[in-house]
Amino acid sequence: MPSSEDFDMLDVPVSSLAEAPLPLRENPSSPAKLFNGGSIQSRSFYNTSAFASKNTSREASVLANTANDLSIRSPIVSSGGSENGLTETADRYTEPLPYTNAKTGLCYDARMRFHTELSPPKDRSDYHPEDPRRILHIYRELCEAGLVEDPTMAVPPITKNPVYRIAARVAKRPEILLVHDEAHFDFLKSTSNMSEDELVKLQHRYDSIYFHRLTYSTALLSTGAAIETCLAVASGKVKNAIAVIRPPGHHAECDVSRGFCHFDNVSIATQVVRKTYPEKSRKVLIVDWDVHHGNGIQQAFESEPNVLYISLHVHENGNFYPSGPYGDMYHCGEGAGIGKNINIPWPTKGMGDADYLFAFQHIIMPVAFDFNPDLVIIAAGFDAAVGDQLGGCFVTPACYGHMTHMLMSLANGKLVVCLEGGYNLQSISKSALAVTKVLMGETPERIPTTAATKYGIQTVQRVMVLQSRYWRCLYPKGVIIPAGSERMHDIVRAYQSKHLYENHRMINLTIFREKISRSFDNQVLATANYSSAIPLLVIFHDPPEVIGTPNLLTNKLDLHNTWLADASKSYIEWAVTRGFGVIDVNIPKFLTDLSNDREDEDEEADKVNAATQELAIYLWENYIECNESTTVIFFGVGEAFNKAILHLLNTRNYEALQLIAGIVGFISNDQEIRGVQETFITDFAKWYFRNSLIFVEHDHDLWQRDRKPSRKFGQLKQSPADGINQMLIEHKSEVQDFLLRRTGLPIFKGPEHDGDTIMVAAASLTAK
């Protein structure tokens, strides 16, 4: 082994090792004495790069070769040899890695703060959200983190490679006209000559816009900054860059200013860079993570096959700005650009890190690798960040860092970040800092929450299926429905109707309402004695579960591998044998003749909800309230409990409640739990609590709350079972006992019940 003398050279500065060869000292007690004088050029731990002589032992040769293998620099061995038999070497110094040693660019110009409100409110809390301080706070945050070399700032850079400053410039008219029409350009130019009164009046005619005499100049500067930033990255002047610019641009359409935006910065920069560097920027990916849909960018590239636009935004069924259907998932591009527009429309606010990462991992990154862009541009609005009240979402700076990190793996790292929205000054500053650090080479911080919400999962999966027809990387593929096909829920309900008729003579109740009669055909069944002077059990339930694993490629289900799970039918069989009259109401999730295959999920749910409420009231008025039943028990399973039973209870008067002896409900962990409303009846919540039995799945959010649930939710019981069907099986005996006690029927001792026969008078129970 080498002796301690052999390691003395470690005290020599590294720079000396790189500048001149050092002889390895001979040590008789070490195998190193077998080496003759050679040059030491390695920065490996042993710093040996000598070569064995012809007479050396095999062990010494192995040691010498190992030392060479450990060397960071790869030596070049000459084919010839010297007189003493030693091989000669020449160091090959590798060139610096171009990407690693290149800098990150930053474009910021204080003049972009000149676009301000002319008549700001007196209360600072009412300032327009598109505040000039937005870019100042981001720039200060970067400076205070030591990433920017700016003599005017108190904090010097803490890195040897601070960001490279990219100079902003004013965009030119021909550049603007690549996206906008002449009339829009000329109009915005004319505002620079208007009086302040004219500008104040003008802003009320526009959608979320204010004007200033310097708005035109500032908008040109913002667009020019985006252009210069993209050109710097595309040309290789910097490896990546961030443009801290305002006013934003992704809402500006070709002929109008909208949503705080005047010129579409990202779209214009994309067109300019594609024209300037047609070979280096042939294909461009634009990822828009602003909480609002970028209608302007989508409009600019709808028919362009070489620009892929992907937007993640809150949609709320078209009720979130910029409103309308344009941001839904069905707008996939037009003509040659079909498939090159991907909208991931969140159905609600409140989306967080896990939802965004889920979308990135399952849609954005697979599609982006398939597209293989030459340049990536992020329309980086930070209004989905935690703390931004306008966006109402919970994306953390760490998540923005992770999304940036993933996109850096594309286009050889050529990535441009252009600021769009974001209106909480602290949130946008921290988020922009996280993104910039990742651009400069830092790894993003860890994210503790990785479980996406049900809304996030459903949205991503629906977009995947829809876009799978355009992208070979997305699975499962969407199913093409052949002409003449029938929905399984209609077939299953027809089977149930036939089964219930054959076994219990249950017949279809006619619904004389034009709007819902076709939709609820075969959905309302009743025993022949439903109107007799006996207890009546009215069951509202979701469709039975169809359980199976679809083919991962075709998304098709094999019938032999699919099961129908319907535990509610055992309750019907039991009730009929105990002498109940029964009305069974199946509430489908899709209503024939009322729903549309292409409708948004929320819009479809609203239609089903309205029709269900109408049906529940119709059944009460025409088949329940007017018959001779002694008592009525409502039994609700799943969403049908909320849609039908609770709506019915909340719209009845005190006299109607005298007929109701009890309410049973089953709520799974992915369903909302709702309570009664004390609108018409005093102490309604107290009555509901005493007369209900509501089973809620064990891991429902309800059980995570610190406070005890309100009585308006009923008498709640935490179910240990998983899923609705298992809950129905688990609590069958308990529910049956409740029904018998509430109706005054005898509780029989048998395999399903323990205890003696008990007769309870119905009259004594109605007071509970």
Side-chain angles (χ1 to χ4, degrees), residues 489-503 506 522-523 525 541-544 564-566 568-569 584 586:
H489 78 133
D490 291 327
I491 297 174
V492 169
R493 189 55 180 175
Y495 158 77
Q496 287 180 316
S497 177
K498 181 175 180 295
H499 172 80
L500 292 173
Y501 174 78
E502 291 176 348
N503 289 274
M506 296 183 70
N522 281 330
Q523 308 297 346
L525 306 174
H541 60 84
D542 292 345
L564 185 68
D566 183 16
S568 63
K569 67 180 181 181
D584 178 70
N586 180 71

Side-chain angles (χ1 to χ4, degrees), residues 375-425:
L375 177 67
V376 180
I377 304 175
I378 303 175
F382 294 113
D383 39 6
V386 175
D388 194 301
Q389 295 183 352
L390 202 62
C393 290
F394 302 102
V395 180
T396 65
C399 182
Y400 284 118
H402 277 276
M403 292 190 291
T404 304
H405 192 258
M406 284 188 272
L407 293 173
M408 286 171 65
S409 63
L410 303 165
N412 293 326
K414 291 185 176 182
L415 176 64
V416 179
V417 180
C418 291
L419 181 66
E420 289 288 351
Y423 309 103
N424 180 298
L425 300 180

Side-chain angles (χ1 to χ4, degrees), residues 449-505:
T449 304
T450 57
T453 64
K454 69 174 183 178
Y455 300 108
I457 295 171
Q458 290 171 353
T459 301
V460 169
Q461 289 179 337
R462 292 185 68 194
V463 174
M464 284 175 61
V465 171
L466 182 65
Q467 289 287 342
S468 66
R469 68 185 69 173
Y470 311 117
W471 298 96
R472 59 187 177 183
C473 59
L474 295 182
Y475 290 93
K477 297 298 181 183
V479 177
I480 298 176
I481 309 299
S485 300
E486 296 181 69
R487 286 186 174 270
M488 277 300 298
H489 78 133
D490 291 327
I491 297 174
V492 169
R493 189 55 180 175
Y495 158 77
Q496 287 180 316
S497 177
K498 181 175 180 295
H499 172 80
L500 292 173
Y501 174 78
E502 291 176 348
N503 289 274
H504 309 297
R505 290 296 182 264

Side-chain angles (χ1 to χ4, degrees), residues 556-622:
K556 295 179 180 178
L557 279 169
D558 296 322
L559 289 180
H560 71 277
N561 229 5
T562 307
W563 291 265
L564 185 68
D566 183 16
S568 63
K569 67 180 181 181
S570 64
Y571 284 84
I572 297 175
E573 294 170 357
W574 173 87
V576 171
T577 60
R578 290 296 188 271
F580 284 81
V582 178
I583 296 178
D584 178 70
V585 188
N586 180 71
I587 304 298
K589 294 185 178 180
F590 182 96
L591 295 180
T592 307
D593 291 349
L594 283 185
S595 298
N596 187 313
D597 287 339
R598 199 182 145 156
E599 277 180 350
D600 183 89
E601 204 169 75
D602 290 337
E603 185 176 349
E604 186 175 302
D606 289 342
K607 285 188 175 182
V608 173
N609 190 50
T612 301
Q613 292 175 358
E614 184 179 354
L615 173 68
I617 294 175
Y618 180 88
L619 291 176
W620 174 266
E621 294 175 347
N622 293 275

